[in-house]
Amino acid sequence: MERSLELANMTRVQQFILLGLSTRLDIRDALFAVFLTLYLLTLVENTLIIYLICSHKELHKPMYFFLGNLSCLEMCYVSVTMPTLLMGLWNGLYHIPFIACMTQLFFFIVLVGTECILLASMAYDRYVAICRPLHYPVLMRPQVCLGLAMTSWLGGLLVSMIKTTCIATLSYCGPNVLNHFFCDVSPLLNLSCTHVALTELVDFISAIVILWGCFLTTMASYVAIGRAVLRMPSTTARYKAFSTCASHLVVVGIFYSVTIFIYARPKRIEAMDLNKVLSVIYTVVTPMCNPVIYCLRNKEVQVALHRTMHWS
């Protein structure tokens, strides 16, 4: 009875306070200008990539279809996390309602899960192109590409529904200060005033299934690609095959090294300052760099871009 009364007297948190990326007044204005520029640059870059892929028939290939999906995902990525980061730098602290916080968490997890599966799909595409080139038109026909893309988005949606529901149903009775620039899993679990072992277990298992599962699938694809490349008799052929995969390997390396460290660990992260720095890498830096790494250095994309500029 006493326990019931204690629970009834708990005041449920109605909003969270995001401390943001930095609380130092002397650098907040400079950081705001930097991150606003990075945000706008990311939107412009990825919009350009989507436009080029949609408007040029020579880019209507499986590889560019997946890159178009990735660009769309990156635009959503920065648009989910960047507004609260910028508001925190502008105001010092940002008060976010409980529902808005859970909504941001939901879309963020959707995008992380989707990117994991999408990167694995892109690795499979490169595996088929290099290891089974004669079967490529059949194995990577439009229906298969569409199915892989839909699986990526639906997989991220399913994982997010499970994880967000578990986190949203926890009790938060104070304090309500999140040492982060957006609503992320670890900071929220650290603030819960109820037992979170089951939620941590669900979070850890889902991270293992999605992150490690997709990572191992990607690595298996590249092991097979590496063997096929080494067996190629011509140095030119080996270089060409490697160059088509190098950009993907760079992005995979950056993305997984950070996300596995943060999310695929069996306990909550206490070093939130480190968490914030690492989060900047895959929520801000990677979405801005991906179009350059993947597309703008690609000869076919460069030709399409030159043609578009010439037409204008």
Side-chain angles (χ1 to χ4, degrees):
M1 182 66 177
E2 291 180 1
R3 178 62 178 168
S4 300
L5 288 173
E6 287 178 7
L7 291 173
N9 288 331
M10 281 184 178
T11 303
R12 185 176 176 84
V13 168
Q14 300 298 316
Q15 66 175 5
F16 293 103
I17 300 173
L18 297 174
L19 291 183
L21 194 62
S22 176
T23 55
R24 290 179 53 184
L25 290 172
D26 55 332
I27 63 172
R28 279 211 326 255
D29 290 343
L31 287 176
F32 178 85
V34 169
F35 282 103
L36 179 60
T37 302
L38 294 178
Y39 179 41
L40 296 176
L41 182 60
T42 301
L43 294 180
V44 170
E45 287 177 343
N46 285 285
T47 300
L48 177 61
I49 296 302
I50 293 171
Y51 171 75
L52 291 175
I53 292 172
C54 291
S55 60
H56 291 79
K57 290 185 178 180
E58 64 270 24
L59 300 183
H60 292 179
K61 301 176 183 178
M63 181 176 73
Y64 298 110
F65 171 76
F66 290 121
L67 288 175
N69 273 269
L70 184 65
S71 288
C72 180
L73 185 145
E74 303 289 24
M75 292 174 66
C76 296
Y77 225 149
V78 292
S79 296
V80 165
T81 58
M82 192 66 83
T84 51
L85 187 155
L86 292 173
M87 290 300 295
L89 291 173
W90 184 261
N91 295 321
L93 299 174
Y94 182 67
H95 295 73
I96 182 170
F98 181 86
I99 296 298
C101 184
M102 292 302 146
T103 301
Q104 184 184 49
L105 177 68
F106 172 79
F107 284 111
F108 175 73
I109 297 175
V110 168
L111 297 170
V112 171
T114 300
E115 183 157 2
C116 289
I117 304 172
L118 190 60
L119 289 174
S121 300
M122 294 169 71
Y124 173 72
D125 170 67
R126 293 299 84 203
Y127 160 77
V128 176
I130 293 173
C131 299
R132 306 186 66 182
L134 297 178
H135 298 90
Y136 187 80
V138 176
L139 293 177
M140 296 306 296
R141 59 191 182 275
Q143 296 89 334
V144 174
C145 295
L146 182 60
L148 288 172
M150 289 182 65
T151 299
S152 300
W153 289 96
L154 292 176
L157 181 63
L158 177 62
V159 170
S160 184
M161 288 176 64
I162 296 171
K163 293 180 70 168
T164 307
T165 299
C166 290
I167 294 172
T169 52
L170 295 173
S171 293
Y172 300 91
C173 43
N176 65 338
V177 178
L178 291 171
N179 185 17
H180 214 312
F181 58 86
F182 69 96
C183 293
D184 201 0
V185 176
S186 291
L188 286 167
L189 290 180
N190 286 333
L191 289 187
S192 175
C193 54
T194 54
H195 194 56
V196 296
L198 180 59
T199 302
E200 283 186 324
L201 181 62
V202 170
D203 179 56
F204 178 60
I205 290 174
S206 62
I208 289 294
V209 171
I210 293 293
L211 287 175
W212 280 109
C214 293
F215 177 72
L216 292 176
T217 300
T218 303
M219 289 300 100
S221 298
Y222 276 103
V223 168
I225 290 171
R227 289 176 178 173
V229 169
L230 291 175
R231 288 197 298 266
M232 292 178 178
S234 168
T235 303
T236 304
R238 286 197 296 268
Y239 175 77
K240 184 177 179 181
F242 177 76
S243 64
T244 63
C245 303
S247 57
H248 187 254
L249 276 172
V250 170
V251 173
V252 165
I254 296 172
F255 177 79
Y256 279 111
S257 60
V258 176
T259 52
I260 287 176
F261 178 80
I262 293 179
Y263 297 107
R265 294 171 46 165
K267 64 182 294 184
R268 291 170 286 178
I269 297 175
E270 303 297 336
M272 282 299 122
D273 288 333
L274 174 61
N275 194 0
K276 286 195 290 186
V277 173
L278 294 175
S279 296
V280 168
I281 294 175
Y282 70 90
T283 61
V284 179
V285 178
T286 302
M288 182 196 66
C289 293
N290 278 357
V292 178
I293 294 172
Y294 268 127
C295 294
L296 297 181
R297 293 174 62 249
N298 180 286
K299 288 184 179 179
E300 288 183 304
V301 175
Q302 287 177 355
V303 170
L305 178 60
H306 177 75
R307 227 181 262 167
T308 300
M309 293 175 67
H310 182 71
W311 288 339
S312 61

